[in-house]
Coordinates of all heavy atoms in Angstrom, one line a residue:
I1 N -32.7 18.1 47.7 CA -34.1 18.0 47.2 C -34.1 16.8 46.2 O -33.4 16.8 45.2 CB -34.5 19.3 46.5 CG1 -34.4 20.5 47.5 CG2 -35.9 19.2 45.9 CD1 -35.3 20.4 48.7
L2 N -34.9 15.8 46.5 CA -34.9 14.6 45.8 C -35.8 14.6 44.5 O -36.8 14.0 44.5 CB -35.3 13.4 46.7 CG -34.5 13.4 48.0 CD1 -34.9 12.2 48.8 CD2 -33.0 13.3 47.7
D3 N -35.4 15.4 43.6 CA -36.2 15.6 42.3 C -35.8 14.6 41.3 O -34.7 14.8 40.6 CB -36.1 17.1 41.9 CG -37.0 17.4 40.7 OD1 -37.6 16.5 40.2 OD2 -37.1 18.6 40.3
R4 N -36.5 13.6 41.1 CA -36.2 12.6 40.1 C -36.5 13.0 38.7 O -36.0 12.4 37.7 CB -36.9 11.3 40.4 CG -36.5 10.5 41.6 CD -37.2 9.2 41.7 NE -36.8 8.3 40.6 CZ -37.6 7.4 40.1 NH1 -38.8 7.2 40.7 NH2 -37.3 6.7 39.1
K5 N -37.4 14.0 38.5 CA -37.8 14.5 37.2 C -36.7 15.3 36.5 O -36.6 15.3 35.3 CB -39.1 15.3 37.3 CG -40.2 14.5 38.0 CD -40.7 13.3 37.1 CE -41.9 12.7 37.7 NZ -42.3 11.5 37.0
R6 N -35.9 16.0 37.3 CA -34.9 16.9 36.7 C -33.5 16.3 36.9 O -32.7 16.8 37.6 CB -35.0 18.3 37.2 CG -36.4 18.9 37.0 CD -36.3 20.4 37.4 NE -35.5 21.2 36.5 CZ -35.0 22.3 36.8 NH1 -35.2 22.9 38.0 NH2 -34.2 23.0 35.9
L7 N -33.3 15.1 36.3 CA -32.1 14.3 36.6 C -31.8 13.5 35.4 O -32.7 13.0 34.7 CB -32.3 13.4 37.8 CG -31.2 12.4 38.1 CD1 -31.1 12.2 39.6 CD2 -31.6 11.0 37.4
N8 N -30.5 13.4 35.1 CA -30.1 12.5 34.0 C -28.7 11.9 34.3 O -27.8 12.6 34.7 CB -30.0 13.2 32.7 CG -29.7 12.3 31.5 OD1 -30.3 11.3 31.3 ND2 -28.6 12.7 30.8
A9 N -28.6 10.6 34.2 CA -27.3 9.9 34.4 C -27.0 9.2 33.1 O -27.8 8.5 32.5 CB -27.5 8.9 35.5
T10 N -25.7 9.4 32.7 CA -25.2 8.8 31.5 C -23.9 8.1 31.8 O -23.1 8.6 32.5 CB -25.0 9.8 30.4 OG1 -24.1 10.8 30.8 CG2 -26.3 10.4 29.9
A11 N -23.7 6.9 31.2 CA -22.5 6.1 31.5 C -21.7 5.9 30.2 O -22.3 5.7 29.1 CB -22.9 4.7 32.1
N12 N -20.4 5.9 30.3 CA -19.5 5.5 29.3 C -18.9 4.2 29.7 O -18.0 4.2 30.5 CB -18.5 6.6 29.0 CG -17.6 6.3 27.9 OD1 -17.1 5.2 27.7 ND2 -17.3 7.3 27.1
E13 N -19.4 3.1 29.1 CA -18.9 1.8 29.5 C -17.5 1.5 29.2 O -16.8 0.8 30.0 CB -19.8 0.7 28.9 CG -21.3 0.8 29.4 CD -22.1 -0.3 28.9 OE1 -22.0 -1.5 29.3 OE2 -22.9 -0.1 27.9
E14 N -17.0 2.1 28.1 CA -15.6 1.9 27.8 C -14.7 2.6 28.8 O -13.6 2.0 29.2 CB -15.3 2.4 26.4 CG -13.9 2.2 25.9 CD -13.7 2.7 24.4 OE1 -14.7 3.0 23.8 OE2 -12.5 2.7 24.0
Q15 N -15.0 3.8 29.1 CA -14.2 4.6 30.1 C -14.5 4.2 31.6 O -13.6 4.4 32.4 CB -14.5 6.1 30.0 CG -14.0 6.8 28.8 CD -14.2 8.3 28.9 OE1 -15.2 8.7 29.5 NE2 -13.3 9.1 28.4
K16 N -15.6 3.6 31.8 CA -16.1 3.3 33.2 C -16.3 4.6 33.9 O -15.9 4.8 35.1 CB -15.2 2.4 33.9 CG -15.2 0.9 33.4 CD -14.5 0.0 34.4 CE -15.3 -0.2 35.7 NZ -14.7 -1.2 36.6
T17 N -16.9 5.6 33.2 CA -17.2 6.9 33.8 C -18.7 7.1 33.8 O -19.4 6.5 32.9 CB -16.6 8.1 33.1 OG1 -17.0 8.1 31.7 CG2 -15.1 8.0 33.2
L18 N -19.2 7.9 34.7 CA -20.6 8.1 34.8 C -20.8 9.6 35.2 O -20.1 10.2 36.0 CB -21.3 7.3 35.9 CG -22.8 7.3 36.0 CD1 -23.3 6.0 36.5 CD2 -23.3 8.4 37.0
I19 N -21.7 10.3 34.5 CA -22.0 11.7 34.7 C -23.5 11.8 35.2 O -24.4 11.4 34.5 CB -21.8 12.6 33.4 CG1 -20.4 12.5 33.0 CG2 -22.3 14.0 33.7 CD1 -20.1 13.2 31.7
L20 N -23.6 12.3 36.4 CA -24.9 12.4 37.0 C -25.2 13.9 37.0 O -24.5 14.7 37.7 CB -25.0 11.9 38.4 CG -26.2 12.1 39.3 CD1 -27.4 11.4 38.6 CD2 -26.0 11.5 40.7
H21 N -26.3 14.3 36.3 CA -26.6 15.8 36.2 C -28.0 16.0 36.9 O -29.0 15.4 36.5 CB -26.8 16.1 34.7 CG -26.8 17.6 34.4 ND1 -26.9 18.1 33.1 CD2 -26.8 18.7 35.2 CE1 -26.9 19.4 33.2 NE2 -26.9 19.8 34.4
R22 N -27.9 16.8 37.9 CA -29.1 17.1 38.7 C -29.5 18.6 38.7 O -28.6 19.4 38.6 CB -29.0 16.6 40.2 CG -28.7 15.1 40.3 CD -28.6 14.7 41.7 NE -29.8 15.0 42.5 CZ -29.9 14.8 43.8 NH1 -28.9 14.2 44.5 NH2 -31.0 15.1 44.5
K23 N -30.8 18.9 38.8 CA -31.2 20.3 38.7 C -32.2 20.5 39.8 O -33.1 19.7 40.1 CB -31.8 20.6 37.3 CG -30.9 20.4 36.2 CD -31.6 20.7 34.8 CE -30.6 20.5 33.7 NZ -31.3 20.8 32.4
H24 N -32.2 21.8 40.3 CA -33.2 22.2 41.2 C -33.4 23.8 41.1 O -32.4 24.5 41.4 CB -32.9 21.9 42.7 CG -33.9 22.5 43.7 ND1 -35.2 22.0 43.7 CD2 -33.8 23.5 44.6 CE1 -35.9 22.7 44.7 NE2 -35.0 23.6 45.2
H25 N -34.5 24.2 40.6 CA -34.7 25.6 40.2 C -33.5 26.0 39.3 O -33.3 25.4 38.3 CB -34.8 26.5 41.4 CG -36.0 26.2 42.3 ND1 -37.3 25.9 41.7 CD2 -36.2 26.1 43.6 CE1 -38.2 25.7 42.7 NE2 -37.5 25.8 43.8
S26 N -32.8 27.1 39.6 CA -31.8 27.6 38.8 C -30.4 26.9 39.1 O -29.4 27.1 38.4 CB -31.6 29.1 38.9 OG -31.2 29.4 40.3
Q27 N -30.4 26.1 40.1 CA -29.1 25.5 40.5 C -29.0 24.1 39.8 O -29.9 23.3 39.7 CB -29.1 25.3 42.0 CG -27.7 24.8 42.5 CD -27.6 24.7 44.0 OE1 -28.2 23.8 44.6 NE2 -27.0 25.7 44.7
E28 N -27.8 23.9 39.3 CA -27.5 22.6 38.6 C -26.2 22.0 39.3 O -25.3 22.7 39.7 CB -27.2 22.8 37.1 CG -28.4 23.3 36.3 CD -28.1 23.3 34.8 OE1 -27.4 22.4 34.3 OE2 -28.5 24.3 34.2
A29 N -26.2 20.7 39.4 CA -25.0 20.0 39.9 C -24.7 18.9 38.9 O -25.5 18.3 38.3 CB -25.3 19.4 41.3
V30 N -23.4 18.7 38.7 CA -22.9 17.6 37.9 C -21.9 16.8 38.7 O -21.0 17.4 39.3 CB -22.3 18.1 36.5 CG1 -21.1 19.0 36.7 CG2 -22.0 16.9 35.7
I31 N -22.1 15.5 38.8 CA -21.3 14.7 39.6 C -20.6 13.8 38.6 O -21.2 13.0 37.8 CB -22.0 13.8 40.6 CG1 -22.8 14.7 41.6 CG2 -21.1 12.9 41.4 CD1 -24.2 15.0 41.3
L32 N -19.3 13.9 38.5 CA -18.4 13.2 37.5 C -17.7 12.0 38.3 O -17.0 12.3 39.2 CB -17.4 14.1 36.9 CG -17.9 15.5 36.4 CD1 -16.8 16.3 36.0 CD2 -18.9 15.2 35.2
M33 N -18.0 10.8 37.8 CA -17.4 9.6 38.5 C -16.6 8.8 37.6 O -17.0 8.5 36.4 CB -18.6 8.8 39.1 CG -19.6 9.5 39.9 SD -20.9 8.4 40.5 CE -22.3 9.5 40.6
N34 N -15.4 8.4 38.1 CA -14.5 7.6 37.3 C -14.3 6.3 38.1 O -13.6 6.3 39.1 CB -13.2 8.3 37.0 CG -12.2 7.4 36.3 OD1 -12.5 6.4 35.8 ND2 -11.0 7.9 36.2
F35 N -14.8 5.2 37.6 CA -14.6 3.9 38.3 C -13.5 3.1 37.7 O -13.2 1.9 38.1 CB -15.9 3.1 38.2 CG -17.0 3.6 39.0 CD1 -17.9 4.5 38.6 CD2 -17.2 3.1 40.3 CE1 -19.0 5.0 39.4 CE2 -18.2 3.6 41.2 CZ -19.1 4.5 40.7
S36 N -12.7 3.7 36.8 CA -11.6 2.9 36.2 C -10.3 3.2 37.0 O -10.3 4.1 37.8 CB -11.4 3.4 34.7 OG -10.7 4.6 34.7
V37 N -9.3 2.5 36.7 CA -8.0 2.7 37.3 C -7.1 3.6 36.5 O -5.9 3.8 36.9 CB -7.2 1.3 37.6 CG1 -8.0 0.5 38.5 CG2 -7.0 0.6 36.2
N38 N -7.6 4.3 35.5 CA -6.9 5.2 34.7 C -7.5 6.6 34.8 O -8.7 6.8 35.0 CB -6.8 4.8 33.2 CG -6.2 3.4 33.1 OD1 -5.1 3.1 33.6 ND2 -6.9 2.5 32.4
I39 N -6.7 7.6 34.4 CA -7.3 9.0 34.3 C -8.2 9.0 33.0 O -7.8 8.4 32.0 CB -6.1 10.0 34.1 CG1 -5.3 10.1 35.4 CG2 -6.7 11.4 33.8 CD1 -4.1 11.0 35.3
Q40 N -9.3 9.6 33.2 CA -10.3 9.7 32.1 C -10.7 11.1 31.8 O -10.8 11.9 32.8 CB -11.5 8.8 32.4 CG -11.3 7.4 32.6 CD -10.8 6.6 31.4 OE1 -10.9 7.1 30.3 NE2 -10.4 5.4 31.6
T41 N -10.9 11.4 30.6 CA -11.3 12.8 30.2 C -12.8 12.8 30.0 O -13.4 12.0 29.2 CB -10.6 13.2 28.9 OG1 -9.2 13.2 29.1 CG2 -11.1 14.7 28.5
V42 N -13.5 13.7 30.7 CA -15.0 13.9 30.5 C -15.2 15.4 30.3 O -14.3 16.2 30.5 CB -15.8 13.4 31.7 CG1 -15.6 11.9 31.9 CG2 -15.4 14.1 33.0
Y43 N -16.4 15.7 29.8 CA -16.8 17.1 29.5 C -17.9 17.6 30.4 O -18.9 16.9 30.6 CB -17.1 17.2 28.1 CG -15.9 17.0 27.2 CD1 -15.5 15.7 26.8 CD2 -15.1 18.1 26.7 CE1 -14.4 15.5 26.0 CE2 -14.0 17.9 25.9 CZ -13.7 16.6 25.6 OH -12.6 16.5 24.8
L44 N -17.8 18.8 30.9 CA -18.8 19.4 31.6 C -20.0 19.8 30.7 O -19.7 20.1 29.5 CB -18.3 20.6 32.4 CG -17.4 20.4 33.6 CD1 -16.7 21.6 34.0 CD2 -18.2 19.8 34.7
P45 N -21.2 19.8 31.2 CA -22.3 20.2 30.3 C -22.1 21.7 29.8 O -21.5 22.5 30.5 CB -23.5 20.2 31.2 CG -23.1 19.1 32.3 CD -21.7 19.3 32.5
D46 N -22.6 21.9 28.6 CA -22.4 23.2 28.0 C -23.6 24.1 28.4 O -24.7 24.0 27.9 CB -22.4 23.0 26.5 CG -21.9 24.3 25.7 OD1 -21.6 25.3 26.4 OD2 -21.9 24.3 24.5
T47 N -23.3 24.9 29.4 CA -24.3 25.8 30.0 C -23.9 27.3 29.8 O -22.9 27.6 29.2 CB -24.5 25.5 31.5 OG1 -23.3 25.6 32.1 CG2 -25.1 24.2 31.7

């Protein structure tokens, strides 16, 4: 479901990580992306 209103993407330029948070009704998805060549630590949303 292509809901642009219930979406937020945040980038950490130093880590080269991106967190894409999408919502539809009660369902939420978080897509955690690491574009760097190192292991990176990110945090899931506090729900």
